Amino acid sequence: MNTHVATNQMPLFVQRLDRLRKLDSAAHAALIEALPWLTEYLTDESEFTTLADIVAEVAGEAPETAGRLAERVKVQPEIVADIQGFRRWVIHGLKHRSDSTQMLRHFETSDPLAFADHRASSHTEHLLRRREALCHYIAGFGFDDMAIDLHEPISKGVPQPSLTVSPMGMQFPRRFASEHPEERDILYRAMLAHAAAHLRFSPLERPIGNRRPNLVALTALIEDARVERLMLQEHPGLHAVWDRFHTASKEKSGFDLAGLMARLSRALHDPTYDDPNPWVQKGRELFEEAAAENLHDVSSFDRLARELTLAVGKMRLQLPRHYRPSPIYRDDNSLLWGEDQALPVDDSIEPEIEPIEYRPAEEVPVEQDLSGVDPRRRYRYPEWDHQLLELREEWTTVLEDAPDLRQAQSSRAKPVRGIRESLKGSERIPDRSIRLKRLPEGDDLDLNAVIDNAVEQRAGIAPDGRIFGRHGRRPKSTSIIVLMDLSVSTDRFVPGSFTRVIDLEKQAAVAVTEALDSEHNRVAVHGFASNGRHEVNYYCVKGFNEPFDDARHKRLEGLTSRLSTRMGAALRHAGALLEKEISDNKIILLLTDGEPSDIDVVDEDYLIEDAHNAVVTAAAKQVRTFCLTLDRRADDYVRRIFGSRNYLISERASTFTDFAGSALVRMLAP
């Protein structure tokens, strides 16, 4: 392939290559050299452009890594055959940005094709969509701070790992045996219930000592059965959840050690299951004897496991290399053992030597120097990748604090009477829970009053005549966040005036706050400016519970224009704050002067689509978002982000504050 001719046929690709050259000339040169071989794996301009965008994103965020990445593409061009899988692999590597060594190792040695497993991607998306519900499920067992995450992707052909549990959270495999979402939902619940059983009843992080792998695995199997038996005493309904996964038998599982252990697991769970194997029968008898005495006596079950392991040694059976506990919902039992590892496989079972517990002497606490500690609160949010059609989990970091209170020219405005007057018509809304009856006029008939009037007429009594009813009205409550774009572009003058954009935003924020803040309305004034995905600065000028007094006015006046506009992250944080409010209306009023942008983003559509996803996600949680912008050319992108009815464009400085009132009227309309 002639590189010069090919690139001339791809003007967009050439444009992205030029951007990459400015970011990292070495990565650009390596990618140019790889072009003749890439044509075998990339089919059209969009895929070449995507590849250039990916390398440029790495160059902007981790310059020390971009050259290595481009070199690997040159040496192994086949890794880009599935460009979206390659994109997932790169994004996963960038999550290790805080550890440059680990990130470099990822790009140099890990397998990009592991991220091209579309079945695993589908299962992962399904699990992440259920994550919030699963957190509620495990909270029902008393664990309300458990994090749910995923194992690292693994290459095709390698068995998926089991669930890993720790006191702080769980890591799920990325691919499951079943293709049916309903079956996977039941499997998730079975996994969580089993993990809860361990966390409630198992002694954690015991020293392995000199236990051999067979003994470790059998001790864990017996412990699985013990804690499940205890869990069933409190939650008998879990038996049916776990039962559907106990399918081991002589025909299905065979006579190797893994198969016999699976059959023993079923025998200990299902009293109706009859297994002909003497070792399985012996394990069931010993377990029931120990359970009848005391299910809480861990030492008796340890002796049981040791006796079964001796019998296994006589049969000369060993665990397979990629042993996974059975049935599939059970975890890898790593939480049972400390950090020391078991010794290599051995047929014999030696007496266990318990290490002496060492407790270091108490140290005198040293006074810490906190001068270099960043006191800002950190919040992690996902970000929408419109090319992969999936969320990049915990991709952005919002840093929340109060703004710098430096002196600035006052932009304090008097309350705008027009806004307050225009909102009077929407102060009360019909409430179906309030029913006014027996009225002389109304919206519909009051059937009980009609019947009473008919009875009175038949009885010769003059009827009352008040036979109508209607819904009552009550003051509606509103929680609104006025969210100000504080990016560097807001320092410019509005065309045709000598007023800066940021001053107009401040005036509009004052007008809206003083017009709305009342007994039934709660108003907060916030601002944001970003410096890449790791630093989305979020400023709280006025909280919902704070009065709009001189101190808050001073905070507002101290805001300055700087940095960039990562709109989606700010909208997600504002939406999360509004979720905690109890109001009829929850509204984000965004004041801005341009489209979202940031220093670490190359794709022009990326942040626009992410902001749209943030708006849609907020709407699903009953949070409405409205945009008021001063960008005359904003119609296309604000329509994509907010929808056709949720934005206004003000072309003149004189109308901006009035338009803010119009936006509120539209959002508060019944």
Side-chain angles (χ1 to χ4, degrees), residues 378-443:
R378 282 168 163 73
Y379 302 86
R380 302 295 298 276
Y381 292 100
E383 198 161 75
W384 178 253
D385 189 319
H386 70 103
Q387 293 198 34
L388 296 178
L389 297 180
E390 63 185 39
L391 286 170
R392 299 182 178 184
E393 290 294 318
E394 296 188 348
W395 191 251
T396 59
T397 303
V398 173
L399 306 176
E400 181 186 297
D401 68 348
D404 184 7
L405 301 183
R406 289 174 291 181
Q407 295 294 330
Q409 291 184 353
S410 175
S411 58
R412 182 168 179 172
K414 296 180 179 179
V416 178
R417 189 172 300 174
I419 294 181
R420 187 181 293 276
E421 293 177 351
S422 62
L423 292 175
K424 286 183 178 179
S426 58
E427 285 182 351
R428 292 177 176 270
I429 57 174
D431 187 347
R432 293 185 178 274
S433 65
I434 302 175
R435 182 68 180 173
L436 303 180
K437 302 179 179 180
R438 297 185 183 276
L439 301 176
E441 56 183 20
D443 300 329

Side-chain angles (χ1 to χ4, degrees), residues 94-100 103 534:
L94 290 177
K95 291 181 179 179
H96 303 304
R97 184 174 182 268
S98 59
D99 187 342
S100 58
M103 182 171 61
H534 296 286

Side-chain angles (χ1 to χ4, degrees), residues 104-136:
L104 193 59
R105 187 185 307 117
H106 171 84
F107 286 122
E108 289 183 339
T109 62
S110 66
D111 182 12
L113 298 181
F115 292 78
D117 186 343
H118 297 289
R119 177 180 171 185
S121 298
S122 173
H123 291 188
T124 296
E125 292 172 12
H126 179 264
L127 175 62
L128 293 177
R129 286 195 299 269
R130 299 292 194 277
R131 179 154 59 180
E132 185 174 357
L134 296 178
C135 287
H136 288 303

